[in-house]
Amino acid sequence: MSRKLLLHIGCHKTGTSAIQRACAMNRGKLQSQGWAFADGPHDGGNWGNIFRFERHENGITTFRVAEEGMEALEQRLDACEGNNVILSAEDLFFLEAPEIAQFAERIGARFDAVTICAWLRRQDELAVSQKAQGAKTVQSALVFGTGPGVLPDLTPQVRGYLDFATRLEDWQRAFGGAELIVRQYHRPSLAGGDIVTDFFSVLGMKIRGDNADINATMGANEVRLLLTLREAGLKQGDIARIRDNKWIAQSPGAPRVARAEAERFYAAFDESNRRLAAVVGAPFAFHGDFSKYPETVEDTGYEAYEREMLLSLIAELSRIASPDRAGLLRRVGLHLEKSRPGMAFDLLDFAHDLNPGGPVIRQARERVAKALAEREKG
């Protein structure tokens, strides 16, 4: 009896968490149809914790599956012996061709047939969502950047991630010409208007989702502030602590981009998108509706939000004040020195209170204070 693998590679921000949750909740129904769900070791359906990344001097980040993670995955797949297997891991979409080939070499030999499935989201929509996701996860921030724009810059790595035709070719080639099932992530195109329903329809099963948005995007100002803090040097643990403890307020309204800007961004992938149908082996085209984007984007009042939330953050940090917090505040203060000198001084002043003996903090505080005094005179 042949053994099949349904390999769900993403992409990100296409309801992958909802799919994984639904698979975990419907193990019995899947088993009755001969399918086992290879869930992750720590986070339910997700295998994101097995991926590692390395930032290079040229700004490119290399993603790979860690050896210990690969071993855990192999053990889980082997435990599903005798069954067809569903493996869902959207961080696979970060892998480049060499890492894809290594993954396929380790995994492919366990199965007689592999089907690779992916839901693709139009590049402009996905880029907006992934840029905002960088406020939550370091992986997205490394690829899509931490700058102030709602859309990322078209760096080589952003272009590579969003070049869906080439990415799918890499996956298909690595698995020896595996079958591809590729669908558009666009609610009107999904079975039942829901990603879970659409996913299970691939298996010929009728399991409906609840249309729940498990990983909703944060407000525009919240996203921008967290990206600024990340750019200033805050680590993932600090970012998570700020969000989990609700040290900054949620802001209304998701990040928005003007329609013309979104259309220009999408047009950068015309050539790749024209190739998609040939790669997939079936008609494929993204929807052409840009009406959700405004003609112009209104001011979100970010500067006032930033000042209020940073002062709120200082107040929260003061309750757990210690010298090691001074370095965090110093990094943010130095980052804001030119663009927000008043805010930079507030941060450096508090850092100095926490660590009055720190020469870098003292010198930076004095420098910013002098610049503010000169500005008032001018």
Side-chain angles (χ1 to χ4, degrees), residues 241-363:
R241 192 175 298 113
I242 289 169
R243 294 191 60 247
D244 294 345
N245 291 324
K246 297 181 171 57
W247 287 348
I248 61 173
Q250 296 184 12
S251 59
R256 304 292 298 276
V257 64
R259 187 176 306 163
E261 187 179 355
E263 290 174 338
R264 284 194 298 270
F265 190 92
Y266 175 58
F269 300 93
D270 280 349
E271 190 276 332
S272 174
N273 290 340
R274 281 194 294 269
R275 293 172 48 221
L276 268 174
V279 174
V280 174
F284 187 96
F286 288 112
H287 73 94
D289 184 6
F290 286 81
S291 62
K292 72 174 183 178
Y293 295 114
E295 291 289 346
T296 58
V297 180
E298 296 181 359
D299 182 10
T300 61
Y302 174 70
E303 290 189 21
Y305 173 88
E306 179 190 62
R307 180 171 182 80
E308 181 180 349
M309 290 305 105
L310 283 177
L311 291 174
S312 173
L313 181 57
I314 290 173
E316 293 292 347
L317 288 172
S318 67
R319 299 175 189 174
I320 52 175
S322 62
D324 66 319
R325 293 284 168 188
L328 182 154
L329 294 167
R330 182 200 65 187
R331 289 195 299 273
V332 179
L334 292 175
H335 177 74
L336 297 174
E337 181 177 348
K338 292 184 179 180
S339 60
R340 304 274 194 282
M343 180 59 64
F345 180 80
D346 290 339
L347 294 167
L348 293 167
D349 192 46
F350 183 54
H352 182 260
D353 289 343
L354 293 177
N355 186 17
V360 175
I361 295 173
R362 184 180 67 254
Q363 293 168 10

Side-chain angles (χ1 to χ4, degrees), residues 184-263:
Q184 179 180 187
Y185 181 76
H186 178 55
R187 286 196 184 275
S189 304
L190 302 174
D194 170 73
I195 185 61
V196 170
T197 306
D198 204 55
F199 177 84
F200 281 102
S201 72
V202 169
L203 302 174
M205 300 175 64
K206 293 184 178 180
I207 297 178
R208 292 195 60 81
D210 55 12
N211 279 298
D213 194 349
I214 296 175
N215 193 13
T217 299
M218 296 179 292
N221 286 345
E222 188 181 2
V223 166
R224 186 172 171 188
L225 177 58
L226 288 175
L227 287 175
T228 297
L229 293 173
R230 190 184 292 284
E231 188 175 16
L234 266 69
K235 303 301 183 184
Q236 181 63 30
D238 290 317
I239 295 291
R241 192 175 298 113
I242 289 169
R243 294 191 60 247
D244 294 345
N245 291 324
K246 297 181 171 57
W247 287 348
I248 61 173
Q250 296 184 12
S251 59
R256 304 292 298 276
V257 64
R259 187 176 306 163
E261 187 179 355
E263 290 174 338

Side-chain angles (χ1 to χ4, degrees), residues 149-165:
V150 174
L151 280 167
D153 295 334
L154 280 169
T155 63
Q157 190 146 22
V158 168
R159 287 182 178 274
Y161 179 98
L162 297 174
D163 179 0
F164 298 143

